[in-house]
């Protein structure tokens, strides 16, 4: 069952205009961090002032202008519990490759796969509202500077390619997957938390590797709601799911699910097979929604990607997802709705 969370309120306090960015960073699809699960668990919890700082955010507009918004936080919730667990060292593709390429418009254009979109900078995003896409911050900002292409950022929707004027005959033979093409929509504005920008992908930066994009026009597809990430032991089967546009399978949407191996308050560590390009994918689970008496899928995290961690000189690797905590839920929900009253229930 989806647990009920009391969500804090995050409200903008003041907004400053910043200089126009340079857009000179290369989009790196892998993030390196010196801090693994044990290091994260032993690091001190941030103070109220630090959290306010991390949750302040930059907004980039399509015309290149940039603002910084300071926030206030009200009704702080209790800090979540952190389960202890062991993590194993493995490669990005962990033994047998358990990813599934999704073919055929019957699948690709149906929920939940239809909520996955491609960013023009090479990452994946997920539709979370009529005009909003959730993705990883490093897809548009490297921690110091906005990446090339962030100003003219576009979001690609997979559509069937019609053959010589026909209405796209439904080909069910999986040996002949239907040709798909991307239809692109421009991004109107982008929000990135200051925790990512100041952190520059160090141990704290990883915790804030998420961004929200607002499209210039509605996409008219079903989207997936965001939810507060429950502890791993409450996830059905201890598993998470996500679909993304992995680099090694160009033009394919790739779905996978796997067990969560370890978690901290802000991150999930798992060994889902993934390649660069999948970063920014929405990590989701399906649970029972008691109020509505139905099953509901919600995004509980953002796949950050493959992370090398220097453990006393020996590199270990994990695949890491950023958890949507009650604070992050309040922030992202406010970015989407613009009204904190609609963001009270996680």
């Amino acid at each position: 069952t989806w647990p009920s969370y009391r969500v804090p309120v995050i409200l903008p306090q003041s907004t400053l205009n910043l200089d126009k960015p340079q857009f000179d960073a290369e989009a790196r699809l892998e993030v390196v961090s010196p801090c693994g699960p044990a290091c994260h668990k032993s690091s001190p919890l941030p103070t109220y002032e630090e959290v306010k700082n991390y949750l302040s955010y930059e907004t980039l507009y399509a015309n290149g202008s940039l603002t910084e918004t300071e926030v206030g936080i009200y009704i702080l919730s209790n800090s979540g519990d952190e389960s202890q667990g062991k993590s194993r060292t493995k490669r990005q593709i962990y033994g047998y490759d358990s990813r599934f390429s999704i073919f055929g418009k019957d699948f690709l254009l149906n929920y939940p796969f239809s909520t996955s979109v491609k960013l023009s900078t090479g990452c994946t995003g997920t539709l979370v509202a009529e005009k909003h896409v959730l993705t990883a911050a490093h897809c548009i900002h490297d921690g110091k500077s906005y990446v090339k292409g962030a100003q003219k950022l576009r979001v690609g929707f997979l559509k069937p390619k019609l053959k010589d004027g026909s209405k796209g005959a439904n080909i069910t033979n999986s040996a002949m997957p239907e040709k798909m093409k991307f239809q692109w929509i421009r991004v109107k504005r982008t929000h990135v938390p200051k925790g990512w920008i100041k952190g520059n992908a160090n141990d704290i930066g990883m915790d804030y590797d998420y961004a929200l994009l607002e499209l210039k026009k509605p996409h008219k597809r079903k989207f997936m709601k965001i939810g507060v990430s429950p502890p791993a032991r409450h996830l059905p089967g201890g598993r998470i799911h996500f679909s993304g546009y992995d680099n090694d399978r160009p033009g394919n949407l790739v779905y996978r699910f796997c067990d969560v191996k370890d978690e901290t308050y802000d991150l999930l560590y798992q060994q889902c097979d993934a390649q660069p390009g999948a970063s920014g994918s929405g990590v989701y689970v399906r649970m029972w929604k008691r109020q509505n008496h139905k099953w509901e899928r919600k995004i509980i995290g953002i796949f950050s990607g493959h992370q090398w961690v220097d453990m006393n000189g020996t590199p270990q690797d994990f695949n890491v997802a950023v958890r949507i905590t009650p604070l992050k839920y309040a922030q992202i929900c406010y970015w989407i709705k613009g009204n904190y009253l609609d963001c009270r229930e996680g």
Side-chain angles (χ1 to χ4, degrees):
T1 307
W2 282 108
S4 228
Y5 287 96
R6 274 186 67 95
V7 175
V9 174
I10 294 183
L11 287 177
Q13 303 284 287
S14 62
T15 301
L16 301 165
N17 288 314
L18 302 179
D19 292 341
K20 285 198 173 186
Q22 297 299 313
F23 302 107
D24 53 2
E26 293 293 336
R28 286 179 314 149
L29 299 186
E30 290 204 332
V31 181
V32 179
S33 163
C35 192
C39 151
H40 269 271
K41 288 174 185 176
S42 61
S43 59
L45 285 172
T47 64
Y48 173 66
E49 284 304 319
E50 284 172 331
V51 171
K52 262 187 15 173
N53 208 357
Y54 299 147
L55 290 171
S56 296
Y57 55 91
E58 285 190 4
T59 304
L60 173 67
Y61 294 85
N63 64 5
S65 62
L66 185 65
T67 60
E68 178 181 317
T69 304
E70 305 274 314
V71 299
I73 304 173
Y74 309 94
I75 319 173
L76 280 176
S77 59
N78 302 329
S79 67
D81 60 72
E82 300 179 7
S83 69
Q84 303 298 316
K86 291 194 173 65
S87 43
R88 303 199 323 268
T89 343
K90 285 277 180 99
R91 289 295 327 200
Q92 277 176 276
I93 296 296
Y94 296 95
Y96 174 70
D97 187 349
S98 59
R99 297 172 300 161
F100 304 87
S101 284
I102 305 296
F103 289 120
K105 70 168 193 241
D106 285 358
F107 281 111
L108 282 166
L109 302 182
N110 282 344
Y111 185 85
F113 305 116
S114 56
T115 63
S116 292
V117 290
K118 189 172 173 67
L119 269 56
S120 53
T121 52
C123 285
T124 300
T126 311
L127 305 176
V128 291
E130 286 86 357
K131 291 169 74 172
H132 291 91
V133 174
L134 189 62
T135 188
H138 75 258
C139 298
I140 44 187
H141 195 293
D142 75 348
K144 293 192 179 78
S145 177
Y146 284 90
V147 305
K148 294 170 185 167
Q151 186 179 356
K152 294 189 166 58
L153 192 60
R154 295 175 309 148
V155 170
F157 293 76
L158 217 42
K159 294 269 169 92
K161 201 182 267 184
L162 299 181
K163 290 169 212 65
D164 35 271
S166 72
K167 283 281 177 279
N170 187 9
I171 301 172
T172 48
N173 181 353
S174 61
M176 282 181 60
E178 196 164 0
K179 282 277 178 275
M180 306 292 279
K181 64 176 175 64
F182 284 105
Q183 180 187 28
W184 298 90
I185 297 182
R186 286 285 300 274
V187 170
K188 178 176 159 186
R189 59 180 177 172
T190 302
H191 300 299
V192 178
K194 294 291 281 184
W196 171 255
I197 292 168
K198 287 196 167 59
N200 187 24
N202 66 10
D203 53 342
I204 192 73
M206 232 26 216
D207 296 349
Y208 293 90
D209 189 5
Y210 59 91
L212 187 78
L213 319 177
E214 184 183 339
L215 302 173
K216 287 204 162 170
K217 59 180 187 186
H219 52 71
K220 302 191 174 65
R221 281 196 188 184
K222 189 174 176 184
F223 54 85
M224 212 181 300
K225 289 182 187 156
I226 61 168
V228 173
S229 167
R233 65 176 183 278
H234 291 169
L235 301 177
R239 279 194 185 138
I240 54 170
H241 308 250
F242 62 96
S243 302
Y245 294 98
D246 296 50
N247 286 10
D248 62 337
R249 302 192 188 179
N252 284 358
L253 180 64
V254 185
Y255 161 77
R256 78 235 65 200
F257 63 88
C258 69
D259 298 344
V260 173
K261 296 294 181 204
D262 204 348
E263 66 183 327
T264 64
Y265 186 60
D266 283 285
L267 301 174
L268 289 173
Y269 293 88
Q270 46 21 296
Q271 282 158 340
C272 276
D273 296 330
Q275 291 286 356
S279 35
S281 305
V283 169
Y284 63 88
V285 293
R286 181 171 168 270
M287 288 165 70
W288 182 254
K289 182 88 170 161
R290 199 178 275 129
Q291 299 91 310
N292 311 8
H293 300 289
K294 63 175 188 181
W295 293 98
E296 190 169 39
R297 286 183 185 86
K298 286 189 194 174
I299 294 170
I300 56 153
I302 303 95
F303 180 58
S304 188
H306 181 233
Q307 181 195 5
W308 284 101
V309 178
D310 186 357
M311 311 273 274
N312 307 324
T314 54
Q316 270 202 326
D317 63 338
F318 302 92
N319 276 333
V320 183
V322 176
R323 294 176 71 180
I324 297 179
T325 61
L327 280 166
K328 291 174 197 163
Y329 175 89
Q331 181 188 51
I332 297 165
C333 179
Y334 185 85
W335 285 343
I336 294 171
K337 312 246 188 199
N339 176 2
Y340 76 89
L341 293 171
D342 297 332
C343 301
R344 301 297 292 128
E345 282 289 309

